[in-house]
Amino acid sequence: MRELRPHGHGGISGAIALAVASLNNKRPQDAEVIAREALRAAPGHSEALSILGQALLAQGRADDAIAALEAAGGRDPRVETQFALALHHAGRNEEALKRLKRAIKRQ
């Protein structure tokens, strides 16, 4: 895979689109690399953090996914749902249920 330069062609939005495409094509490792590169260019970017969390979860790395999704924060019910899923995979079912209920209320 070639090195991604988020400030180059497509910028952060191009990197996000590429990471989403990687996730959709069942390539979570690629999505992780792209999301991390985007975060180096734009630290704290909530969408990049969300994608990073999804990529980590798809690789079975629930604890790492929790950290990324928690950092993504915000009020997006999709992020809350992914966060709840990561909590569930980490065996934190009561917290997962609370987050899922919160996500449902926000929709």
Side-chain angles (χ1 to χ4, degrees), residues 15-59:
I16 297 298
L18 189 56
V20 168
S22 294
L23 280 175
N24 290 340
N25 287 304
K26 311 267 188 260
R27 295 190 333 260
Q29 294 89 354
D30 290 348
E32 177 188 356
V33 169
I34 296 164
R36 288 190 188 281
E37 187 69 26
L39 287 165
R40 277 191 284 281
H45 191 281
S46 62
E47 196 170 4
L49 284 164
S50 173
I51 291 167
L52 175 61
Q54 291 174 56
L56 293 167
L57 187 58
Q59 294 175 67

Side-chain angles (χ1 to χ4, degrees), residues 12-102:
I12 296 298
S13 62
I16 297 298
L18 189 56
V20 168
S22 294
L23 280 175
N24 290 340
N25 287 304
K26 311 267 188 260
R27 295 190 333 260
Q29 294 89 354
D30 290 348
E32 177 188 356
V33 169
I34 296 164
R36 288 190 188 281
E37 187 69 26
L39 287 165
R40 277 191 284 281
H45 191 281
S46 62
E47 196 170 4
L49 284 164
S50 173
I51 291 167
L52 175 61
Q54 291 174 56
L56 293 167
L57 187 58
Q59 294 175 67
R61 296 164 55 194
D63 290 331
D64 294 331
I66 289 168
L69 292 164
E70 191 169 34
R75 297 181 164 267
D76 186 338
R78 294 171 297 179
V79 175
E80 287 279 351
T81 301
Q82 288 296 317
F83 190 54
L85 188 58
L87 288 166
H88 170 71
H89 282 281
R92 296 164 57 181
N93 293 325
E94 287 185 37
E95 286 179 78
L97 186 56
K98 286 179 188 176
R99 288 289 181 156
L100 195 54
K101 286 179 181 179
R102 203 155 89 182

